[in-house]
C-alpha cells in the first residue's frame, strides 16, 4: 500500500525550512565572521528535519545569504526529473541587513 | 537465463565532465558582457537550461538539478551552502565558479542516479 502522499509536499517543506531560518538568522545582523556557520547550519538543520518526516525522498537543500547593498542577485534552477513524484520549493527570507534564499529539491526513491 | 547487460556508464557521477560542459555554457552566455539588470534574468535562465540540455544529451541514467546564481560585484558578501541526503555511491554534485570584472556566477549541478 502507498503510505506516502502522491508528490512532494512543498508547503510542509516551506514551513520546516522557515522555522530553521528564523531560529538561526532571527534577530541577527549580517556578520562576515559568522555567515559561513549560519548557511551551514541552515542547510543541515533543514535537511535533518526533512529526513525526519520519514518519507522516501532524497533531498538537496541549498542556501544563499547575501548582505544587503543594493546590488543585484539573480538565481535560476532547472530540473530534469520525474515531474509526477519529484518536487521543489524555494523559501525567501530577509531582514534589514541580509537576504536569504533556500531551495529544497526532493527526488522520490522508487523502491 | 539472465540477459547480459553491458555497462556503458561509469560508476558514479563524472564531475569533471559536468564541470567542462557547464563552463562552456557560461562562457558562451556571459563571456565578454558586463552585468546588466535588464538581461541578467535571461542569462541565468539560459545558463541552467543549456547546461541541463547538454548534461541530458550525455545519455546517462541520471536525474539532474542545475542551479545558477549571478551577483553583481559590489564588495558585498555572498555565501552559499548545500547539503544532500542521497546515495553517496551513485549520486554526485559539482560546483562551477566563474567571474569577470562586473559579476560573479556560481552554478551547482546535482545528479541523482536513476535505478531501473
Amino acid at each position: 500500500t502507498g503510505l506516502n502522499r502522491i508528490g512532494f509536499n512543498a508547503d510542509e517543506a516551506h514551513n520546516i525550512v522557515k522555522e530553521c531560518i528564523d531560529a538561526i538568522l532571527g534577530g541577527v545582523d549580517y556578520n562576515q565572521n559568522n555567515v559561513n556557520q549560519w548557511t551551514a547550519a541552515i542547510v543541515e538543520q533543514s535537511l535533518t528535519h526533512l529526513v525526519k518526516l520519514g518519507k522516501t525522498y532524497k533531498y538537496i537543500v541549498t542556501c544563499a545569504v547575501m548582505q544587503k547593498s543594493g546590488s543585484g542577485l539573480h538565481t535560476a534552477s532547472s530540473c530534469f526529473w520525474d515531474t509526477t513524484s519529484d518536487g521543489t520549493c524555494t523559501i525567501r527570507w530577509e531582514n534589514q541587513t541580509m537576504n536569504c534564499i533556500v531551495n529544497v529539491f526532493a527526488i522520490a526513491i522508487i523502491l
Side-chain angles (χ1 to χ4, degrees), chain A:
Chain A
T1 55
L3 293 169
N4 289 341
R5 189 193 299 236
I6 301 299
F8 172 61
N9 189 336
D11 289 340
E12 183 178 49
H14 193 283
N15 292 337
I16 286 171
V17 172
K18 186 182 179 301
E19 278 192 30
C20 289
I21 304 174
D22 285 339
I24 294 161
L25 299 185
V28 296
D29 291 335
Y30 180 87
N31 182 326
Q32 190 175 330
N33 295 327
N34 294 341
V35 66
N36 275 336
Q37 300 164 33
W38 293 337
T39 51
I42 288 168
V43 295
E44 286 163 20
Q45 289 182 29
S46 299
L47 191 63
T48 298
H49 284 97
L50 288 165
V51 169
K52 274 188 185 165
L53 293 173
K55 300 186 177 178
T56 48
Y57 279 102
K58 294 180 175 180
Y59 295 102
I60 294 159
V61 181
T62 68
C63 171
V65 172
M66 189 171 87
Q67 187 179 18
K68 280 192 171 179
S69 68
S71 300
L73 170 68
H74 296 259
T75 64
S77 64
S78 195
C79 308
F80 177 76
W81 58 19
D82 183 340
T83 54
T84 60
S85 60
D86 305 330
T88 180
C89 85
T90 300
I91 301 88
R92 294 169 189 78
W93 188 101
E94 66 180 291
N95 65 12
Q96 283 190 319
T97 57
M98 53 188 166
N99 286 98
C100 176
I101 303 172
V102 175
N103 282 309
V104 176
F105 302 96
I107 296 90
I109 300 170
I110 312 297
L111 297 168

